[in-house]
Amino acid sequence: MIMPPIPTPFDAQGRLDAEAFRDLAQALEPHVDGILFYGSNGEGVHLTPAERIRGLEVQKPQKPPMVGLMEETIPQALEALQQAQIVGAKRVLATPPRYYAASTGNEGLLRYFTALADAGGPEVWLYHVPQNTKADLPLPVVAEAARHPGITGLKDSSGEMARLAFYQANRLELSVYTGHAPTFAAALALGAKGGILAAANLAPKAYKALLTAWRAGNVVEAQRLQARLEPFGRVLGQGGFVLLKQAMRYIGLPAGYPRPPYPQESPYWAAFKPLLEDLRAEGWLVG
């Protein structure tokens, strides 16, 4: 499975553009296996509750969607969990509470994820993205949470191969996906089933080709594609959602702008544009 965490479009004044959000999802969905709304690149933390609902209400997904939860307390998370059902999400992707991370402890993290899973409704996937949350998802917590029948998956965007090796060695009952494009092939070798990748907003064909080659046992081709895509994924990761939105606007997708106070243009654009153009020339981009 290749799934993009799609951006949430805002206009140049920082207002939610719900119609552009719908149009963006519809433009991307034919090229991928589903859409993640309100992931890290979806700026879910920048939305008011009313905006979050409005953004989901306009969607008409044809493939199974996923919704990101980036909340701090159980009541907040349960409310977001209910909202995810507006779009028919069968799964939610939940980060650990982070603002008071030093006080949460393993027991608190387990209580948080278990409360979501006990609520019924969408399955819960754990989300480890320390470069954004600045919070750890301890491996003992992952191992214990995996025992709950309602916690069925995990996205790991850390790029830490030791973590992927832990998931595989412990035979966790979780569907593991990577969010780290520069190490996509290595993650597959360590048991990941696919990628939930920011880069898939731009070049889903390339990452689907890599995944197809790996599944077919064509390791040489998978490695070739990984080497070809590594600079693209690495620079995009450095530029984050600001660079992603700028690149998507550049190729004609209605991704909108980052919400203030974040800048509309990325300092990584000069380095990324040639990489984007090269992939376009090779026919890998959306469109």
Side-chain angles (χ1 to χ4, degrees):
M1 182 176 75
I2 298 295
M3 177 180 284
I6 71 167
T8 302
F10 300 98
D11 66 20
Q13 287 71 48
R15 296 170 297 205
L16 175 68
D17 190 337
E19 287 68 32
F21 196 19
R22 178 200 59 221
D23 293 346
L24 178 61
Q26 291 179 350
L28 289 172
E29 193 177 41
H31 303 284
V32 296
D33 299 309
I35 299 290
L36 169 60
F37 299 104
Y38 306 149
S40 292
N41 285 280
E43 295 178 79
V45 294
H46 295 168
L47 295 166
T48 68
E51 288 172 332
R52 186 182 178 92
I53 292 170
R54 173 60 179 155
L56 295 176
E57 285 177 336
V58 300
Q59 304 298 339
K60 304 293 181 184
Q62 302 301 307
K63 297 176 181 178
M66 183 180 289
V67 176
L69 272 63
M70 300 180 184
E71 310 304 323
E72 291 294 321
T73 66
I74 290 172
Q76 291 171 312
L78 290 175
E79 182 176 349
L81 186 71
Q82 286 289 99
Q83 293 168 1
Q85 298 181 60
I86 294 171
V87 76
K90 302 300 183 185
R91 304 179 183 94
V92 293
L93 185 65
T95 56
R98 56 206 172 274
Y99 192 84
Y100 298 109
S103 301
T104 307
N106 289 9
E107 183 180 345
L109 290 175
L110 283 169
R111 188 182 306 120
Y112 178 80
F113 292 122
T114 299
L116 293 178
D118 285 344
E123 298 171 6
V124 176
W125 284 31
L126 311 179
Y127 185 15
H128 181 58
V129 57
Q131 56 268 49
N132 288 346
T133 63
K134 307 300 187 276
D136 189 27
L137 182 57
L139 293 173
V141 170
V142 175
E144 183 62 28
R147 297 164 61 88
H148 194 294
I151 298 175
T152 60
L154 181 146
K155 176 187 176 183
D156 194 309
S157 295
S158 68
E160 300 170 21
M161 293 301 100
R163 290 186 67 96
L164 273 292
F166 174 89
Y167 306 145
Q168 185 182 56
N170 284 272
R171 302 178 183 272
L172 301 183
E173 293 295 324
L174 296 174
S175 296
V176 176
Y177 283 75
T178 181
H180 194 256
T183 57
F184 184 38
L188 295 176
L190 288 170
K193 294 185 176 180
I196 304 175
L197 305 168
N201 284 289
L202 296 163
K205 301 174 189 177
Y207 291 95
K208 291 192 81 169
L210 194 164
L211 179 58
T212 299
W214 178 265
R215 287 177 172 171
N218 192 344
V219 177
V220 172
E221 176 63 7
Q223 290 177 329
R224 184 191 71 80
L225 286 167
Q226 181 64 70
R228 174 68 187 85
L229 293 167
E230 192 280 334
F232 177 80
R234 173 171 43 80
V235 177
L236 182 60
Q238 292 168 339
F241 72 94
V242 175
L243 178 59
L244 175 62
K245 281 190 164 181
Q246 186 172 359
M248 294 180 78
R249 293 195 307 271
Y250 179 76
I251 67 172
L253 291 170
Y257 297 90
R259 185 160 243 183
Y262 298 94
Q264 295 185 359
E265 298 186 352
S266 169
Y268 291 93
W269 176 243
F272 189 67
K273 182 179 176 182
L275 302 174
L276 188 67
E277 288 290 5
D278 286 347
L279 288 187
R280 171 147 56 184
E282 295 172 20
W284 289 121
L285 298 189
V286 172

